[in-house]
Amino acid sequence: MQALTTRAKQVDRKPMTLAEKIYLPAIFKGMAITFSHIFKKKATISYPEQKRPFSPVFRGLHVLNRDAEGRENCTACGLCAVACPAEAITMEAAERQPGEEHLYREEKYAAKYEINMLRCIFCGLCEEACPKDAIYLSETFAPSNYNRASFIYGKEELVIPHPKENPDAYKKALGNRAKKN
Amino acid sequence: MLLTIDWLLIIEKLVLIVVVVLVALGIAMYSTWAERKVAAVMQDRKGPTRAGPFGLLQPVADGIKLFFKEEIIPNTSNKFLFVLGPMLAMMTAMLTSAVIPWGNKIELFGRTIDLQIADVNIGILFIFGVVSLGVYGIMIGGWASNNKFSLMAAIRGASQMISYELAMGIAIIALMFITGTLSLKGIVEQQMNHTWNIIYQPIGFLVFFVCALAECNRTPFDLPEAENELNFGYHQEYSSMKLGFYLFAEYINMFISGVVMATLFFGGYDLPFLNEATLSPNIAALIGVLALFGKAIFFVLVFMWIRWTIPRFRYDQLMNLGWKGLLPLALVNMLVTAAVVLWLNK
Amino acid sequence: MNVTEILFWILSALAIGSALMVLLSKNPVHSVLWLIMVFFAISGHYILLNAQFLFIVNLIVYAGAIMVLFLFVIMLMNLNTDTEPQKNKWLRLAGVVAGGCLMLVFVAAFREAEIQRQQANAAVRLVQMGEGNIGLIENLGKALFHEYVLPFEISSVLFLSAMVGAVVIGKKGD
């Protein structure tokens, strides 16, 4: 049969030589290798104290973004829910009442916005679908929990901290994927 | 009414036994820690670091965990033998420490105390005999579990131990030609006056070392407990502290075989380039004990080093090495030693 | 009664009791384990006779090696009570006759020993306990290689031939 590549090698089935039969040279060679590894740099990262930097394309838990004045961007258009391949997003829209202009940027807003983190596959399609830059995948891991209900994230968990009242937390939650405003 | 018994001697020996048992248990505990650390540093990891500084409290945590785990005895097992198995394993592991000379004499409260529980004149054979009984722990535990994997492991363990005992015994016989005594104390004293036996018996030591690995069921001879083919072998059905006993027995066996190797081939509690006569006897004895422990721990570390370096032998390779490799080597070594000793004595 | 005698009686009771259990227990694995107990008790007797070498060799060879092989085989055969073959009536009769003959031999031997003891001085006991050093390795070695060198070598040749035979049988399969 014609070999596909030139890399294929014939397996060597010669009987072992004496040096191979007494095993010892090979064993000492192996022990020297493991011994040299004692002095190598350790690959371990002690997690809670030390953290590895995220990759720029990392997609973690979602945040619902606010604009520079702290108003929620989301208008509850439902495009993210449509785009979602895992059908993890549900929402209910509501009309902005007079006097709520400092809370919501547009006339319509999401009264309820839920993402089921057990269904979510963190593909980022919701982020691409959003016309208002309202939803972003941040740099946080999905945490562990004891019951399923607590994996359904509502607005309390999703909406980002207020950029004026709590600027540090806002910057931290935003990550580096969201468009800076 | 009972004969005049030297009660002080009995108390002295009991204290010594308790100390030896406690020290052996402590060493076994910290061997588990050392094993994980050695494995870690050889694989570019850090190993246990969370419990205490450098993870030093990890064995305590493991011990507490094992004590509080649920005890499960399989329904179809032979209950009595199932419990007897780990007991035997632990007992045979501890028994060997009875004849080992841990150090020279010390003087305490006006008494001269020998740091050896029993100086029997067949010391080395006693160790050999107890080690040969060690296989019962594995066999009984494996059979009583009523489980195919455990039975396989028990049978593997038994045949492996019997095969390697032969070569080990012959290596010891060659050593006996040189020392002329079976008492471990005598062997150590001889080495203190002359040179260490490793100079005369390098091949004997090699054979003994390999056989000791096999007797302790350590990699590359850990077929009885092969994790990935036999699901931990003979202790598959064991849980809680019964499992702990099996694991402990293995580490105690390792430590004891390190001590035996140090005693037989590396001068026991003898520290070279040190004239014991210039020191007070107690300090000299203490240094001796520390020297013996240092040597033994060195061997334990080498055992671990080997474990994290080489893969397991296949079963036929194991038997080939034992019967066609080590046994003839040990026999030739014995004959050559006998001839040389005879020629020199002439 | 001194300590040695107390130990002698305890060990004897243990040996005989375990030997009975070897015969009486239904499970063959238990029989083997009781047999190991018998060997331990007998090894204890060797210590009482100050024969330390025999003590440890008995343990190494019988308890440590031969019984392991027995256990090995029995575990693999997986004998149960229902696979036990039905005993023949004639076989049972033969057993009784053989056992009776053995008992006769024992009685004769004990009588002989008693006569010898009476003939010799009463101070010389049938069994020397805790004294005598024929069982120590040095004396035993000298006895074996001086007085009994021919029987010793003949028996080793016998073992060698048995070993060669085993290898030949093992090779036949290939």
Side-chain angles (χ1 to χ4, degrees), chain B residues 62-305:
Chain B
D62 286 345
I64 293 172
K65 183 199 78 173
L66 279 175
F67 266 116
F68 282 99
K69 283 235 162 176
E70 188 187 356
E71 292 247 13
I72 297 168
I73 297 182
N75 237 352
T76 51
S77 69
N78 188 322
K79 304 270 185 315
F80 177 70
L81 293 182
F82 189 79
V83 179
L84 187 71
M87 279 163 63
L88 276 180
M90 197 70 180
M91 195 181 77
T92 49
M94 301 298 278
L95 257 182
T96 31
S97 57
V99 293
I100 288 170
W102 296 98
N104 220 328
K105 293 176 174 60
I106 58 169
E107 277 165 30
L108 221 60
F109 312 122
R111 284 181 65 88
T112 311
I113 297 172
D114 215 349
L115 289 181
Q116 183 180 18
I117 295 169
D119 183 16
V120 288
N121 59 13
I122 43 150
I124 181 64
L125 282 181
F126 179 83
I127 288 182
F128 193 61
V130 172
V131 166
S132 70
L133 294 178
V135 67
Y136 283 115
I138 294 179
M139 282 198 88
I140 289 176
W143 182 77
S145 302
N146 200 7
N147 168 316
K148 282 176 199 144
F149 286 124
S150 300
L151 183 64
M152 286 279 277
I155 283 162
R156 278 183 175 196
S159 45
Q160 169 184 332
M161 282 199 162
I162 294 177
S163 312
Y164 280 78
E165 250 162 38
L166 283 172
M168 192 185 215
I170 291 170
I172 292 175
I173 290 174
L175 186 71
M176 292 307 108
F177 287 153
I178 290 169
T179 62
T181 173
L182 290 173
S183 154
L184 287 169
K185 187 109 185 164
I187 292 172
V188 172
E189 268 158 13
Q190 215 165 35
Q191 293 182 77
M192 286 179 96
N193 298 331
H194 299 94
T195 42
W196 290 358
N197 284 333
I198 179 76
I199 307 289
Y200 305 119
Q201 281 290 321
I203 295 181
F205 172 69
L206 183 73
V207 172
F208 192 91
F209 185 84
V210 176
C211 294
L213 274 178
E215 295 282 323
C216 294
N217 293 328
R218 294 290 296 182
T219 321
F221 306 105
D222 61 340
L223 283 131
E225 48 192 286
E227 292 94 339
N228 33 16
E229 17 178 324
L230 288 178
N231 298 328
F232 281 98
Y234 59 89
H235 47 63
Q236 185 185 19
E237 298 283 351
Y238 283 90
S239 59
S240 183
M241 208 51 206
K242 289 207 282 295
L243 172 71
F245 269 11
Y246 269 127
L247 302 181
F248 254 55
E250 184 186 327
Y251 284 103
I252 293 174
N253 269 333
M254 245 165 86
F255 174 63
I256 296 284
S257 52
V259 173
V260 171
M261 276 188 281
T263 306
L264 289 183
F265 294 97
F266 288 87
Y269 50 80
D270 172 36
L271 204 62
F273 316 118
L274 177 79
N275 191 359
E276 278 88 352
T278 58
L279 297 163
S280 83
N282 280 1
I283 292 178
L286 189 69
I287 290 175
V289 172
L290 289 180
L292 179 63
F293 272 76
K295 289 169 194 172
I297 288 169
F298 169 76
F299 283 118
V300 171
L301 288 178
V302 171
F303 274 24
M304 290 174 182
W305 182 9

Side-chain angles (χ1 to χ4, degrees), chain B residues 14-56:
Chain B
L14 279 179
V15 169
L16 198 60
I17 289 170
V18 169
V19 168
V20 166
V21 166
L22 285 182
V23 167
L25 284 178
I27 293 222
M29 263 172 86
Y30 276 91
S31 300
T32 62
W33 174 83
E35 174 105 75
R36 294 167 69 171
K37 276 286 184 198
V38 168
V41 294
M42 284 180 177
Q43 297 165 356
D44 299 346
R45 296 185 287 115
K46 280 184 178 167
T49 56
R50 295 286 160 181
F54 305 106
L56 275 174

